[in-house]
Amino acid sequence: MPGIQREVAEHFLEIRAGSKPVNQRLRRFDEEKHKIIGEEIHKLLTAGSIKEVHHPNWLANPVLVKKKNGKMRMFVDYTSLNKACPKVPFPLPRIDQIVDSTAGCETISFLDAYSCYHQIKMKESDQLATFLITPFGMYCYVTMPFGLRNAGATYQRCMLHVFGKHIGSTVEAYVDDIIVMSKKRGDATRCPDLHDVG
């Protein structure tokens, strides 16, 4: 996936000076989780979201969480790394205001961005802090992983940049949940040129 251009959005960490890297030891995984992690690592490598590394600084373990549909989703335990990074006070939209903005619209479409975080690249100098230790080797993220502090703020800032003047009129975005709306049904064909964004 080509993803978002760095000029539009790039995630960086700003690790506090003097923070000591934490190397988590590899956790034990049962056979089912071992297989799921292996499949996820293969997908991430194929998509170009991670790359193999040999000299890690920070090391974090994968964590599997069951989703509502019963499938497992892999996250990374970035607890230690997140503690070393200051929180960016970037405001997320108020959900009640987003809901209010759809009042009176005849056409409303709900979109969920696919692999949204992996569309944004990590700042190259910060990639080496996103190390992931697995039974299959050590990797770092080339794209922004889910679970990093301020990742939601980076994505929201990206959405504001991409949709620009359309936010609040024909588009609302709450991180990766996007609403495209029009007051009159016939106006749907004149919505913003969404195929040109990004």
Side-chain angles (χ1 to χ4, degrees), residues 22-27 29 37-38 40-42 44-45 49-54 56-63 74-78 81 118 127-141 145-146:
V22 175
N23 290 326
Q24 296 179 9
R25 289 170 54 178
L26 180 64
R27 296 177 186 156
F29 300 100
I37 291 169
E40 187 65 21
I41 292 297
H42 176 73
L44 291 169
L45 281 169
S49 293
I50 61 173
K51 64 182 179 182
E52 191 171 10
V53 290
H54 303 288
N57 260 343
W58 299 80
L59 271 179
N61 274 281
V63 178
M74 189 180 89
F75 296 89
V76 181
D77 181 8
Y78 283 127
L81 178 59
H118 294 315
Q127 291 175 5
L128 298 182
T130 64
F131 283 117
L132 168 66
I133 185 170
T134 77
F136 308 96
M138 295 179 294
Y139 307 88
C140 73
Y141 274 87
F146 192 85

Side-chain angles (χ1 to χ4, degrees), residues 91-93 98 111-113 116-117 120 144 146 151-160 163 167 172-179:
L92 292 178
I98 290 177
L111 311 174
D112 188 5
C116 64
Y117 279 28
I120 296 177
M144 182 174 71
F146 192 85
T154 296
Y155 196 84
Q156 185 68 34
R157 189 181 291 115
C158 176
M159 291 296 93
L160 294 177
F163 291 115
I167 293 286
E172 293 287 3
Y174 187 90
V175 192
D176 62 337
D177 294 311
I178 302 163
I179 300 173

Side-chain angles (χ1 to χ4, degrees), residues 111 162-163 166 170-171 178-180 191-198:
L111 311 174
V162 167
F163 291 115
H166 302 295
T170 55
V171 176
I178 302 163
I179 300 173
V180 181
C191 272
D193 296 327
L194 298 182
H195 59 280
D196 291 334
V197 300

Side-chain angles (χ1 to χ4, degrees), residues 7-25:
E7 304 83 62
V8 175
E10 179 180 62
H11 190 66
F12 53 92
L13 299 175
E14 291 191 2
I15 299 172
R16 291 187 187 92
S19 297
K20 186 177 179 182
V22 175
N23 290 326
Q24 296 179 9
R25 289 170 54 178

